[in-house]
Amino acid sequence: MVEQELTYQKLQIPSSDIYEAMGYKDSMPDGMVIEEINTLLDRITPLLRPRFFFFLTDGLLDTEKATLTVKDTVLTIGKTIARQLRGSEAFAFFTATAGVEFEEFQHLLQQEDDMVKVYIADSLGSIIAEKAADCMEEELATFIEKRGWKHTNRYSPGYERDLASLHWYQAEAHIARAYYYAELIKQYGGVPIVESQYAANKFIPRSSYDQVVEYIVKEIDDHKGKLAVDWASFSERNGRFTLGAALAIKARVLLYAASPLHNPDNDVEKWKKAAAAAYDIISNPDLNYSLDSDYGAYFQGNRSLSSPETIYVVRREQSNAMESNNYPIATPCGASGVTPTQNLVEAYEWVGDPVAGDPYANRDPRLAASVVTNGSTWNGHVIDQSPGGRHDMSAPNASKTGYYLKKFLTDNLDLTQGAKVQHNWVSYRYAEVLLNYAEAMNEAYGPDQAPGDYALTALDALQLVRDRASLQLPIVTAATRDEFREAVKHERRIELAFEDHRYWDLLRWKDAMEVLNKPVRGVKVTKTGEGKWSYTQTEVATRTFLERNYYMPFTRSEVENSNHTLEQNPGY
């Protein structure tokens, strides 16, 4: 009995199925036929990679010299395999086994829908295409010609794409695993590393934070070479992991690993690894990332999809959820939502002399791009939060801080008519990479040093981000590690505001106990004349952050399901 199995990607066809398809149910084929089948299987197996189907079609079997037994056997095997495949793969097996007549393939083609026909035609090499032109003039050849495809000596882009996908999918799966482990350790610290399915009664203890970091880095380093650099040639695949995305995940993970929360002894080698990981992105000519020319516009509509700043973005359907959740409550269908604090607003630097009575004039332009302030125009009218004003702060659900979110939102969207716009969530972008690099370089080498092959100092990278915001921002002149550390912390707070970085930054810097125990502040607005207001700072709320909050707790069910092998984080 033949023990060998045919394997095509995840497809496995046992020999018994082939025998049954050939009519052998109660008895097995005789030795001569088994030997012929073995020989055939040996010849077909190397062809199970699609790249070789079309080049070797004519040479697989000389049908003129083949015995009837062999030809029938080969044809039966081909049909058996083809039943479990679709489109071009089925056709490849038909034509690659015993020179199947095109009438047989034509019958298969007639059973398929247009999408499968397109893929079949898309995958034809010159040998098959010429046969199609000779033997199926009104079926496949016409189908090809109507779509402008030509018979050439190379595969079409669609077929090359799908062939490459066999490698891309595998690599992307490893990057996805690295990404999710990065999210887990960011929240919980060390977690169990699970690489395969385990028996129900086997429990895996937590690995240390550093062990999981090593695992993430290895996953990325081992598979980054098989990733697509970008999806320029296959735009329908945008949104999947690329080389840049993988390297950005690695750079962020190593930056977090080098930070005080996870590096209490300040091991400088960890900072050097983080700097090198960020520089791998900056210096790679194939990636060619750069800062978008317009900070505010970058976060609106589809701009992030085509911007050279974007490394990885989550695509979402058109909606108005962001606007309806975050427009001021006085805007029809608005719900106030996220209301920025005075703590943040006052951190935006001056780019000119302060203006009496207007604390928002001559500020870093990123303020106006991110926050709706009193006296600014938003949704077609001037925001007036003074008593009796349209956005009176005493109204139910009005902002208690005196500010509303602007970043990510489209101005003046007609929510009453159900208008919708595109929103995308940028998970990794080039500005963050520059800031990651600046922070790591400072800690590893100082603010103004670029040893070896490095072409940028920490100061250089930081200044690139600030210059994009405004050339009027003062140049950072930090001369020491300590001074620059404060500068880069400030820059991350401003540049990455509302992008899900601030909280995690405070944790990894071990600044959360200080910063997150301070009260939330806002402003009370009073109108002093037409178009004029005065502002009084107020305490809006108090916050409590405990030492244990540097890590989140595992749920009780997870701990119990692990038979308490999963050790709970301290303090819970």
Side-chain angles (χ1 to χ4, degrees):
M1 182 175 179
V2 179
E3 300 295 337
Q4 184 175 358
E5 291 187 353
L6 292 176
T7 303
Y8 177 75
Q9 297 178 33
K10 294 183 179 179
L11 175 69
Q12 292 187 331
I13 306 176
S15 304
S16 57
D17 290 355
I18 296 177
Y19 291 144
E20 184 175 345
M22 295 168 61
Y24 294 100
K25 294 183 179 180
D26 300 326
S27 61
M28 300 305 297
D30 60 39
M32 179 177 179
V33 174
I34 290 177
E35 183 178 352
E36 291 168 346
I37 294 174
N38 270 321
T39 301
L40 175 67
L41 292 175
D42 288 341
R43 302 181 73 177
I44 289 180
T45 300
L47 304 182
L48 294 181
R49 297 179 181 176
R51 179 180 294 279
F52 301 115
F53 282 155
F54 306 121
F55 287 125
L56 302 181
T57 297
D58 290 342
L60 178 63
L61 183 65
D62 185 347
T63 56
E64 293 182 2
K65 298 179 181 179
T67 65
L68 182 62
T69 302
V70 173
K71 183 171 182 178
D72 289 345
T73 300
V74 173
L75 178 58
T76 302
I77 293 174
K79 287 181 177 180
T80 303
I81 297 171
R83 288 192 192 104
Q84 302 191 43
L85 300 173
R86 288 177 61 83
S88 60
E89 292 92 343
F91 176 51
F93 269 110
F94 267 124
T95 57
T97 54
V100 177
E101 297 296 330
F102 268 90
E103 286 75 10
E104 300 230 30
F105 172 64
Q106 187 174 19
H107 176 71
L108 172 70
L109 186 65
Q110 290 169 347
Q111 307 305 312
E112 303 289 3
D113 57 32
D114 280 348
M115 287 301 294
V116 175
K117 289 180 182 179
V118 169
Y119 189 87
I120 292 170
D122 200 28
S123 64
L124 295 178
S126 60
I127 297 173
I128 304 300
E130 289 170 5
K131 286 187 177 182
D134 293 339
C135 305
M136 299 178 62
E137 294 178 358
E138 296 301 319
E139 183 63 38
L140 186 58
T142 302
F143 188 77
I144 295 172
E145 294 295 342
K146 283 182 178 179
R147 284 154 181 78
W149 293 321
K150 300 185 182 299
H151 304 159
T152 65
N153 290 321
R154 63 183 298 277
Y155 297 115
S156 64
Y159 182 70
E160 289 178 337
R161 171 203 63 200
D162 288 354
L163 188 63
S165 286
L166 300 179
H167 302 291
W168 290 335
Y169 285 139
Q170 292 174 347
E172 289 165 34
H174 287 279
I175 303 308
R177 180 154 61 183
Y179 169 80
Y180 285 113
Y181 268 108
E183 290 297 300
L184 285 172
I185 63 173
K186 182 173 73 174
Q187 300 174 60
Y188 300 102
V191 295
I193 297 176
V194 182
E195 297 187 83
S196 60
Q197 186 173 348
Y198 288 88
N201 61 347
K202 183 177 177 63
F203 304 104
I204 308 169
R206 295 176 67 172
S207 295
S208 70
Y209 181 92
D210 285 344
Q211 287 172 332
V212 183
V213 168
E214 289 177 6
Y215 178 71
I216 292 169
V217 171
K218 187 175 188 303
E219 281 287 274
I220 293 171
D221 286 346
D222 286 353
H223 300 282
K224 63 185 180 183
K226 298 178 183 178
L227 293 165
V229 173
D230 57 49
W231 300 113
S233 300
F234 311 114
S235 58
E236 75 281 3
R237 301 197 170 199
N238 277 329
R240 286 168 41 180
F241 287 120
T242 60
L243 173 61
L247 295 180
I249 294 169
K250 175 183 173 181
R252 187 188 293 178
V253 165
L254 288 176
L255 180 76
Y256 278 42
S259 300
L261 180 62
H262 310 296
N263 184 20
D265 296 328
N266 198 28
D267 182 354
V268 72
E269 292 302 317
K270 290 187 175 183
W271 288 111
K272 289 180 179 179
K273 289 180 181 179
Y279 196 65
D280 281 346
I281 303 170
I282 296 169
S283 62
N284 191 320
D286 293 329
L287 298 178
N288 198 30
Y289 295 120
S290 61
L291 295 173
D292 194 285
S293 60
D294 190 325
Y295 178 86
Y298 173 73
F299 298 99
Q300 298 179 351
N302 284 324
R303 186 173 181 119
S304 61
L305 299 184
S306 58
S307 172
E309 183 164 350
T310 301
I311 297 176
Y312 186 74
V313 59
V314 178
R315 287 147 177 78
R316 291 175 177 159
E317 295 180 347
Q318 286 195 349
S319 73
N320 56 28
M322 283 292 293
E323 286 73 21
S324 61
N325 288 336
N326 294 289
Y327 272 178
I329 194 69
T331 302
C333 300
S336 292
V338 175
T339 55
T341 67
Q342 176 65 21
N343 311 55
L344 171 64
V345 169
E346 68 186 18
Y348 286 85
E349 296 171 71
W350 302 100
V351 293
D353 293 332
V355 176
D358 188 352
Y360 314 118
N362 289 338
R363 292 273 189 176
D364 182 333
R366 290 174 291 188
L367 172 61
S370 304
V371 179
V372 177
T373 58
N374 191 74
S376 64
T377 299
W378 184 237
N379 290 328
H381 58 269
V382 174
I383 301 295
D384 182 357
Q385 299 179 85
S386 63
R390 178 169 181 169
H391 296 275
D392 190 333
M393 295 178 67
S394 64
N397 297 320
S399 171
K400 303 304 178 187
T401 64
Y403 303 105
Y404 292 94
L405 180 67
K406 187 174 185 180
K407 196 173 186 177
F408 316 119
L409 275 59
T410 297
D411 189 14
N412 217 23
L413 190 66
D414 192 347
L415 299 179
T416 60
Q417 297 299 314
K420 298 179 180 180
V421 290
Q422 186 73 43
H423 296 93
N424 302 296
W425 181 256
V426 180
S427 298
Y428 295 88
R429 60 187 179 97
Y430 189 59
E432 182 208 341
V433 171
L434 289 171
L435 293 174
N436 293 348
Y437 175 79
E439 181 178 352
M441 283 292 285
N442 175 62
E443 301 295 345
Y445 305 106
D448 57 356
Q449 299 298 308
D453 295 331
Y454 290 111
L456 290 174
T457 66
L459 282 164
D460 292 336
L462 185 69
Q463 199 61 48
L464 287 173
V465 176
R466 290 172 63 80
D467 286 349
R468 188 269 298 271
S470 173
L471 293 175
Q472 279 69 53
L473 281 169
I475 296 176
V476 175
T477 58
T480 67
R481 279 185 173 87
D482 291 345
E483 290 175 352
F484 188 88
R485 187 181 302 123
E486 294 307 310
V488 78
K489 285 181 179 182
H490 163 81
E491 198 61 31
R492 289 183 69 91
R493 183 183 191 183
I494 301 302
E495 174 68 23
L496 305 176
F498 310 111
E499 296 180 50
D500 194 29
H501 286 278
R502 176 66 173 168
Y503 180 74
W504 306 109
D505 281 346
L506 291 174
L507 295 188
R508 68 182 180 86
W509 291 329
K510 296 263 340 215
D511 288 346
M513 284 290 289
E514 177 187 354
V515 176
L516 296 182
N517 281 308
K518 292 180 178 179
V520 174
R521 292 180 289 113
V523 292
K524 179 181 178 181
V525 180
T526 303
K527 194 164 188 175
T528 59
E530 187 61 32
K532 297 180 179 180
W533 296 268
S534 65
Y535 303 90
T536 305
Q537 291 197 25
T538 62
E539 184 175 309
V540 176
T542 58
R543 299 180 291 194
T544 300
F545 185 91
L546 304 176
E547 186 69 30
R548 70 179 187 180
N549 298 143
Y550 277 108
Y551 294 109
M552 294 179 64
F554 295 107
T555 62
R556 179 177 297 178
S557 61
E558 287 286 353
V559 174
E560 292 179 351
N561 289 341
S562 73
N563 197 29
H564 293 272
T565 303
L566 182 63
E567 183 182 349
Q568 183 60 278
N569 279 321
Y572 295 102

